[in-house]
Amino acid sequence: MAFPSDETALELDDMSEDGEMIVSEEMEQTVLQTYGTMQENACRLHTAEMVEFNQNSESLYFNDDQRRIDYILVYEDETLKDQTKNTKKNLLLKQQKKRQAYESNLMRNGLQLEATRSVSDNGLVFVKVHAPWEVLCTYAEVMHIKLPIQPNDLRQKRSAFNWFTKIFSVSEDVIKPEQEFFTAPFEKDRVTDFYINDRDLFFTPATRSRIVQFILSRVEYAVKDNVKKFGIHKLLDSGIYKAAFPLHDCRFNVKSEDPRCPNERYLLYREWAHPRSFFKVQPLDFIRKYYGEKIGIYFAWLGFYTQMLLLAGIVGLCCFLYGYKSQESCTWSKEVCDPSIGGNIIMCPQCDKECTYWYLNITCESSKKLCIFDSFGTLVFAVFMGIWVTLFLEFWKRRQAELEYEWDTVEFLEQEEQPLPEYEAKCTHVVVNPITQQEEHVPYTKFGKCLRMAFCTSAVFFWILLIVASVVGIIVYRLSVFLVFSANLPRHINGTEAIQKYLTPQTATTVTASIISFIIIMLLNMVYERVAIMITDFELPRTKTEYENSLTTKMFFFQFVNYYSSCFYIAFFKGKFVGYPGDPVYWFGRYRNEECDPGGCLLELTTQLTIIMGGKAIWNNIQEILLPWIKNIIARCRSSGIQTIKPRWEQDYHLQPVGKLGLFYEYLEMVIQFGFVTLFVASFPLAPLLALVNNLLEIRVDAWKLTTQFRRMVPEKAQDIGAWQPIMQGVAILAVVTNAMIIAFTSDMIPRLVYYWSFSIPPYGTHSSNTMQGYINNTLSVFNISDFKTESRPVPPPWFGTETTCRYRDFRYPPGHGHQYEHSIFYWHVIAAKLSFLIVMEHIVYFVKFIISYVIPDISNETKDKIKREKYLIQKLLHEKHLKLVKKQMGNLADKILKGVDNRTVDKLD
């Protein structure tokens, strides 16, 4: 195999100031100008040398055992395929021609290639890619990669809790701590100023793979109609290559015997991904070293979020236990269950004609459960969670700032991130940069950008309206099915008391509607994911970060409406606008609006949250564990053959590929969970505890999946968690409002307090002291059955007897009153109390949040000192040193000039 000389390999070094390559003249000649026959260009193409597998299954090097494999390309050899049809033959030749042109250009860009056939499938070819030292140096400067200049000489402050955290940390004898360095953007002509002990180790395998991936995504392979075709992504999409990935360094469950293999994958599996390590602190620096900053910061955030959930889960559990203990002393629940009180209260039908009258004590069991969640502890927990979410976000900012410095991503967005190849390919319009006053290329004009944004926004709103339509459909289902259950369930329970306690029309409607809602949510998610990707591709963002942020915003808005709309309906709309039995409110003039149980809709909201949150967690874990595992088993079965020794690259090829969006769905899953934990926590104090248990499993499942079931991801830089940060801040602000409104308008806490302090004693009540006795009777209004409209009048059951009235949940004057069926004074007291509570709670929590945000700085003093020290060293080592060298050289030159003048003067005198 003939490799290009150093001069040829570095011909690509001519770069523009903004880091974009100016393709060399030699490379331009290699790009195929036509789609003609292969023979027209074969003489000009360099191809990878084909070698035999050397039977070393754990080797990470070329056959010469010197050049490290930085990337693997996989394709199917067209010459071994059945080519009976001319059209198929021409297509295969075109694919072969493009691939050979691409590989030839890779070699002209300085990369070195070596090809090996598969040991289990002779038609598969693996192309090993190696980046020499000069290429790595060149592109490290182009990509502004920060590399070590000096070990960190600042003293590290040791925490007083080190002895405690050591118990849960990975032993330093197993995974040695990474040495800290001060770093600076690499400059090729100042290579001697950088901390280089060993050239082979100066660029880590993750950095090498990242540089090679940068080259692969920008090398051209063809030109058609003056449009350049380039990049490994397009070749993968068109099937010219079947896969492209960096290598794992060894098997996950067997330690490599090669002394040059660091066995990082094996250590990560044993100390991080294995289930027995669930109690250990994650080795974040080691994760970052192997998988890159983007993976590292995800697991850092997930681990920090899980740690904070521990506090919220404990407080939530205490509030739940308080409610559970107090349910036996819940006065209003006892009145519902009391045969002499609830057993004698006849409730009005909740639908027209088909529904019948019913006794209040049917809801005895649900009223007991409601006492658990609708207690004073719920109010305390809602206030606590408003403060907790602020502490979580503020402390995460500090932790994120530490990671940004330690992982050299502080100035990443401004310096390192390059435009997407798809963006560069569409840059056909020329504009003048208002800052530099120079011409630059953009993919669309301002008018074109406005049109794209308008179209994309319209598409997003259309899909959101589609979700709203599905929610309305669920509401119509509830209204229709409630009528059926109300008409049938009480008549077919055969007198079985145990069933009657739990299988009420409200319960049956709630459970079935929640399950159907969950199924619709999952189906809409599957469709919208593809739509959101298509819309974002059409927008054509400039960088990958902009692409992910744009997609994140679209997906979250959709998921927000999809997951939470049914909860918002139950919490704030159901049972709020129902009128009264003589004048009910109808949907679409046909369906009578739903009513809540006598205790309110809080228990139904809790049921909805439990089904959606629990179902989502179970479904996601099944997808994350079973699907890749089953797919890998199938792939291994297909590839099994006589040959048992497989090379490292072939073992990795049979693992599952990582999707283009990488960790996007992992973030989305956790942020949706964050919404459930914060937005509706006033109705379900156990939500943080369930989230904690799920996340302890999620961390290890994600780690196991990445380490054992997926190919190694291309290491990527990431400064922070991206658009998820402002999304969580928005959710935190909204959570204060929703929880305050749930307590005020969904729970029955405010009406109970108003009754206890005002209406249980004179002048409104008859009790001598404040009490909850008589609350149920006071909150149920009276309706005369003779006032039913003809079209909605129900048929009285045989047991109804000669009763003339029924009760319903509202605060209205009884029949015969001067303002009959109008809202009573109790109603207006309750409304005033609800609004007052809402305003006071919001202002208190927001004030505390503001104080916490102000008191806790985003960057700790220790991190600030490190940043200042690094900037000082960069200035001193990379700039002042060269300035002194220039001065010294100028001084020597001046001495020579003066010496020459003196010599000529002496000669003249002589």
Side-chain angles (χ1 to χ4, degrees):
M1 174 179 175
F3 294 104
S5 64
D6 289 343
E7 293 79 12
T8 304
L10 295 175
E11 187 175 357
L12 58 98
D13 291 352
D14 184 15
M15 303 287 173
S16 62
E17 292 182 357
D18 60 354
E20 295 181 0
M21 288 189 300
I22 299 176
V23 183
S24 67
E25 195 175 291
E26 185 176 6
M27 176 181 169
E28 287 285 359
Q29 293 174 353
T30 306
V31 176
L32 298 179
Q33 300 295 331
T34 67
Y35 288 143
T37 60
M38 186 62 214
Q39 289 75 11
E40 297 175 17
N41 297 286
C43 59
R44 300 192 275 120
L45 299 179
H46 302 277
T47 57
E49 180 186 5
M50 189 71 69
V51 297
E52 295 293 329
F53 172 46
N54 60 6
Q55 301 301 309
N56 185 353
S57 63
E58 296 301 322
S59 176
L60 301 175
Y61 294 84
F62 280 22
N63 272 16
D64 59 13
D65 211 30
Q66 298 296 322
R67 290 170 290 172
R68 183 182 179 89
I69 301 172
D70 298 316
Y71 224 90
I72 291 292
L73 304 177
V74 187
Y75 68 88
E76 197 169 3
D77 191 354
E78 296 86 351
T79 59
L80 301 180
K81 289 184 177 181
D82 182 17
Q83 300 181 7
T84 54
K85 295 182 180 180
N86 289 331
T87 55
K88 188 175 182 181
K89 181 178 180 181
N90 292 335
L91 176 62
L92 294 177
L93 286 175
K94 287 179 181 179
Q95 289 184 340
Q96 183 182 29
K97 184 167 55 173
K98 292 176 185 177
R99 186 179 61 252
Q100 291 183 347
Y102 181 71
E103 292 181 5
S104 178
N105 283 334
L106 290 178
M107 296 169 64
R108 292 180 183 275
N109 274 271
L111 297 181
Q112 299 175 0
L113 309 181
E114 184 178 83
T116 302
R117 289 193 179 275
S118 168
V119 297
S120 58
D121 182 359
N122 197 47
L124 281 181
V125 178
F126 295 86
V127 179
K128 295 165 278 187
V129 183
H130 169 76
W133 169 260
E134 290 295 336
V135 173
L136 293 172
C137 290
T138 299
Y139 280 93
E141 182 173 357
V142 171
M143 298 169 69
H144 302 281
I145 295 177
K146 283 189 170 185
L147 293 168
I149 55 175
Q150 176 181 308
N152 188 341
D153 56 2
L154 291 178
R155 291 184 178 179
Q156 301 294 320
K157 294 182 181 179
R158 294 197 173 184
S159 171
F161 298 98
N162 272 0
W163 64 271
F164 179 74
T165 55
K166 238 177 183 181
I167 301 174
F168 301 99
S169 301
V170 179
S171 173
E172 294 183 359
D173 296 330
V174 178
I175 297 181
K176 295 181 180 180
E178 294 294 316
Q179 184 178 4
E180 287 193 27
F181 288 93
F182 293 115
T183 60
F186 186 77
E187 296 182 34
K188 190 175 166 185
D189 57 349
R190 297 180 179 178
V191 66
T192 55
D193 294 328
F194 287 84
Y195 190 84
I196 305 177
N197 280 340
D198 186 344
R199 284 187 14 162
D200 293 335
L201 302 177
F202 181 61
F203 293 100
T204 64
T207 304
R208 297 175 68 98
S209 298
R210 186 166 149 241
I211 291 174
V212 172
Q213 199 274 340
F214 178 86
I215 300 173
L216 293 176
S217 62
R218 282 160 175 78
V219 167
E220 302 172 11
Y221 59 86
V223 173
K224 184 178 182 181
D225 299 329
N226 294 324
V227 177
K228 295 179 181 178
K229 307 288 184 180
F230 63 91
I232 186 64
H233 300 297
K234 290 184 178 179
L235 292 171
L236 289 169
D237 292 340
S238 60
I240 295 176
Y241 283 101
K242 296 179 71 66
F245 53 89
L247 285 179
H248 283 296
D249 62 355
C250 64
R251 284 182 285 176
F252 70 88
N253 56 352
V254 178
K255 190 174 182 179
S256 175
E257 300 299 330
D258 190 338
R260 292 181 295 177
C261 177
N263 285 294
E264 293 174 350
R265 184 190 187 194
Y266 170 76
L267 293 175
L268 283 172
Y269 171 72
R270 195 180 72 176
E271 303 296 333
W272 176 49
H274 199 280
R276 70 183 175 207
S277 302
F278 79 95
F279 63 92
K280 292 184 179 180
V281 178
Q282 299 182 89
L284 293 176
D285 289 331
F286 203 63
I287 296 169
R288 172 248 182 172
K289 179 183 177 184
Y290 191 76
Y291 285 111
E293 289 76 12
K294 197 164 193 174
I295 300 287
I297 203 166
Y298 164 73
F299 282 102
W301 172 79
L302 182 55
F304 186 83
Y305 171 46
T306 304
Q307 290 173 3
M308 291 294 292
L309 278 175
L310 179 61
L311 175 61
I314 292 173
V315 176
L317 179 61
C318 292
C319 292
F320 174 80
L321 293 176
Y322 170 82
Y324 184 81
K325 187 177 180 180
S326 63
Q327 69 173 329
E328 297 301 327
S329 59
C330 187
T331 305
W332 60 273
S333 176
K334 289 181 178 179
E335 291 184 349
V336 172
C337 298
D338 191 340
S340 62
I341 301 176
N344 288 327
I345 296 178
I346 299 176
M347 302 297 294
C348 298
Q350 293 185 325
C351 61
D352 296 336
K353 288 189 176 181
E354 295 297 331
C355 296
T356 186
Y357 301 93
W358 52 284
Y359 285 109
L360 179 61
N361 63 348
I362 289 179
T363 61
C364 175
E365 292 301 320
S366 63
S367 67
K368 287 181 180 179
K369 295 185 182 69
L370 188 60
C371 288
I372 300 175
F373 300 102
D374 196 1
S375 65
F376 180 74
T378 302
L379 171 60
V380 174
F381 189 56
V383 175
F384 168 79
M385 286 301 294
I387 299 172
W388 173 87
V389 72
T390 304
L391 290 172
F392 163 63
L393 293 174
E394 292 302 319
F395 281 123
W396 167 245
K397 288 180 185 177
R398 285 171 64 90
R399 177 61 177 146
Q400 187 171 256
E402 294 174 4
L403 293 175
E404 283 180 14
Y405 169 76
E406 293 172 4
W407 294 353
D408 301 321
T409 61
V410 175
E411 299 174 350
F412 161 64
L413 291 180
E414 291 79 9
Q415 292 187 354
E416 288 190 43
E417 194 166 21
Q418 303 293 327
L420 288 169
E422 295 82 2
Y423 179 90
E424 293 178 323
K426 299 290 181 66
C427 289
T428 56
H429 298 277
V430 179
V431 297
V432 177
N433 190 308
I435 299 174
T436 63
Q437 293 298 312
Q438 295 180 352
E439 290 186 349
E440 61 181 26
H441 290 79
V442 295
Y444 36 64
T445 62
K446 290 184 178 180
F447 179 72
K449 185 175 182 179
C450 290
L451 286 179
R452 286 172 181 263
M453 294 300 296
F455 172 79
C456 296
T457 305
S458 302
V460 172
F461 274 111
F462 169 79
W463 280 91
I464 289 178
L465 290 175
L466 187 63
I467 301 173
V468 174
S470 70
V471 173
V472 173
I474 293 293
I475 294 173
V476 172
Y477 165 83
R478 296 168 69 101
L479 299 176
S480 304
V481 170
F482 177 75
L483 188 148
V484 175
F485 284 146
S486 298
N488 296 325
L489 281 181
R491 298 177 184 176
H492 297 286
I493 58 176
N494 298 323
T496 308
E497 190 68 23
I499 298 178
Q500 187 172 1
K501 285 183 178 180
Y502 301 101
L503 194 61
T504 62
Q506 290 90 347
T507 304
T509 303
T510 298
V511 172
T512 56
S514 297
I515 294 173
I516 293 174
S517 177
F518 173 73
I519 294 173
I520 292 176
I521 285 171
M522 293 292 105
L523 292 175
L524 286 175
N525 278 347
M526 294 171 61
V527 177
Y528 184 74
E529 284 173 5
R530 298 184 179 183
V531 174
I533 293 172
M534 292 172 58
I535 295 173
T536 309
D537 289 341
F538 181 74
E539 276 185 14
L540 203 63
R542 182 176 180 273
T543 63
K544 187 168 185 179
T545 298
E546 292 178 6
Y547 182 93
E548 291 180 350
N549 289 346
S550 177
L551 181 61
T552 296
T553 305
K554 293 181 183 62
M555 283 297 296
F556 180 77
F557 278 141
F558 177 85
Q559 299 274 22
F560 184 91
V561 179
N562 200 14
Y563 278 109
Y564 305 143
S565 55
S566 58
C567 296
F568 275 104
Y569 165 73
I570 295 172
F572 306 124
F573 295 98
K574 183 182 177 183
K576 302 299 186 294
F577 313 100
V578 295
Y580 61 96
D583 187 21
V585 176
Y586 291 89
W587 279 68
F588 311 114
R590 178 181 178 184
Y591 299 101
R592 182 170 165 176
N593 208 348
E594 287 185 283
E595 297 182 32
C596 295
D597 280 341
C601 286
L602 191 69
L603 187 60
E604 186 172 343
L605 177 60
T606 304
T607 304
Q608 180 83 359
L609 282 172
T610 306
I611 290 176
I612 294 180
M613 190 175 175
K616 181 176 180 296
I618 294 171
W619 175 257
N620 287 334
N621 284 324
I622 290 175
Q623 279 190 316
E624 292 181 11
I625 296 175
L626 291 182
L627 286 183
W629 182 66
I630 293 173
K631 288 180 180 179
N632 284 335
I633 289 178
I634 294 173
R636 283 194 292 269
C637 291
R638 288 178 176 176
S639 64
S640 59
I642 300 175
Q643 182 74 37
T644 57
I645 301 177
K646 293 182 181 179
R648 169 83 268 131
W649 49 86
E650 192 158 350
Q651 295 175 45
D652 284 7
Y653 172 70
H654 292 301
L655 297 177
Q656 291 302 301
V658 179
K660 291 182 179 180
L661 299 178
L663 293 171
F664 173 81
Y665 296 109
E666 310 299 335
Y667 272 117
L668 183 61
E669 177 187 352
M670 288 296 102
V671 173
I672 292 297
Q673 181 205 86
F674 177 78
F676 282 121
V677 168
T678 54
L679 288 173
F680 306 102
V681 76
S683 66
F684 192 35
L686 289 180
L689 183 62
L690 295 180
L692 172 64
V693 174
N694 176 76
N695 288 6
L696 288 173
L697 178 63
E698 182 74 21
I699 291 174
R700 304 305 160 179
V701 167
D702 287 345
W704 172 82
K705 183 174 62 176
L706 283 177
T707 310
T708 67
Q709 303 300 309
F710 282 85
R711 297 169 189 162
R712 187 173 181 177
M713 293 181 68
V714 179
E716 295 183 53
K717 283 279 189 180
Q719 187 180 31
D720 47 36
I721 61 174
W724 301 112
Q725 182 87 15
I727 284 174
M728 287 193 297
Q729 290 173 341
V731 170
I733 294 172
L734 182 61
V736 177
V737 181
T738 56
N739 285 303
M741 292 182 67
I742 286 173
I743 294 174
F745 297 103
T746 309
S747 81
D748 221 23
M749 185 178 299
I750 302 300
R752 290 200 301 268
L753 291 175
V754 172
Y755 176 81
Y756 180 83
W757 291 107
S758 298
F759 282 78
S760 64
I761 56 177
Y764 302 108
T766 58
H767 299 280
S768 58
S769 61
N770 300 99
T771 180
M772 284 300 297
Q773 291 181 3
Y775 171 73
I776 289 297
N777 186 63
N778 190 75
T779 55
L780 294 177
S781 300
V782 180
F783 181 75
N784 194 330
I785 62 174
S786 62
D787 293 331
F788 272 117
K789 295 180 180 178
T790 305
E791 59 271 15
S792 61
R793 185 185 302 275
V795 178
W799 54 262
F800 193 72
T802 59
E803 296 288 338
T804 59
T805 61
C806 61
R807 310 295 290 273
Y808 62 98
R809 175 185 167 85
D810 208 341
F811 308 116
R812 295 177 183 269
Y813 290 116
H817 191 278
H819 299 281
Q820 68 173 7
Y821 302 139
E822 293 182 7
H823 286 119
S824 65
I825 190 171
F826 188 28
Y827 171 83
W828 299 111
H829 275 75
V830 169
I831 290 296
K834 288 181 175 182
L835 294 177
S836 300
F837 169 82
L838 184 63
I839 294 171
V840 171
M841 179 179 173
E842 282 184 3
H843 280 69
I844 290 175
V845 176
Y846 281 137
F847 178 74
V848 174
K849 286 167 66 72
F850 172 78
I851 295 298
I852 292 174
S853 301
Y854 181 79
V855 170
I856 302 176
D858 292 347
I859 304 177
S860 64
N861 292 328
E862 185 180 358
T863 304
K864 289 179 181 177
D865 291 340
K866 290 180 180 179
I867 293 173
K868 291 177 182 178
R869 173 68 173 164
E870 183 172 273
K871 289 183 177 179
Y872 168 78
L873 287 175
I874 293 174
Q875 181 71 23
K876 182 178 179 181
L877 295 178
L878 297 186
H879 298 289
E880 292 183 5
K881 181 178 178 181
H882 286 273
L883 185 60
K884 289 179 181 179
L885 181 62
V886 171
K887 287 182 178 179
K888 183 178 179 181
Q889 292 175 346
M890 292 297 293
N892 293 336
L893 180 61
D895 290 341
K896 289 180 181 179
I897 293 173
L898 291 175
K899 186 176 180 180
V901 171
D902 291 341
N903 290 337
R904 287 196 296 273
T905 303
V906 171
D907 292 340
K908 288 182 179 179
L909 291 175
D910 292 341

